[in-house]
Amino acid sequence: MRRGSEDDREVFMNLSTAYLEWREATLEEGLQRGQRQVVENLLKARFGILDEALAVRLPAILKLSPEEYMPLLVNLSRQELLERFPVEEGDG
């Protein structure tokens, strides 16, 4: 009977680790989606639409922290944003 309890404990520990990894990945994905939504909404509010020229620059913008990208999004003109965040290879 003791071996069964040890096996059960090992299974439980493996499941706990898998759950914690899944939870962390899910929370990170949610945070990234939220940040992307904030950036998209701010660009729409400033420029009326989120056109393709701005949309393809979202990955580059989101590489910065919110503390870094927010002042840029608020202060730079559309043209300055296009120049500041060139389209990266493979992004479009």
Side-chain angles (χ1 to χ4, degrees), residues 25-86:
T26 301
L27 291 173
E28 181 64 29
E29 182 180 331
L31 178 61
Q32 290 173 357
R33 284 185 186 176
Q35 287 177 338
R36 183 180 181 96
Q37 191 67 48
V38 166
V39 170
E40 288 177 1
N41 289 339
L42 180 57
L43 292 172
K44 287 177 189 175
R46 286 212 54 214
F47 305 115
I49 61 168
L50 180 62
D51 64 7
E52 185 67 19
L54 289 170
V56 297
R57 287 164 168 84
L58 287 174
I61 293 169
L62 291 168
K63 286 181 181 177
L64 301 176
S65 70
E67 293 80 10
E68 293 171 312
Y69 68 65
M70 283 305 247
L72 298 174
L73 298 179
V74 170
N75 294 311
L76 296 181
S77 70
R78 183 180 181 283
Q79 187 60 41
E80 289 171 323
L81 286 172
L82 296 177
E83 292 168 5
R84 170 67 172 81
F85 297 101

Side-chain angles (χ1 to χ4, degrees), residues 8-37:
D8 289 346
R9 183 172 180 204
E10 184 176 343
V11 168
F12 177 76
M13 295 302 288
N14 288 337
L15 288 174
S16 294
T17 301
Y19 169 76
L20 291 173
E21 290 171 358
W22 169 84
R23 183 174 180 265
E24 184 176 328
T26 301
L27 291 173
E28 181 64 29
E29 182 180 331
L31 178 61
Q32 290 173 357
R33 284 185 186 176
Q35 287 177 338
R36 183 180 181 96
Q37 191 67 48

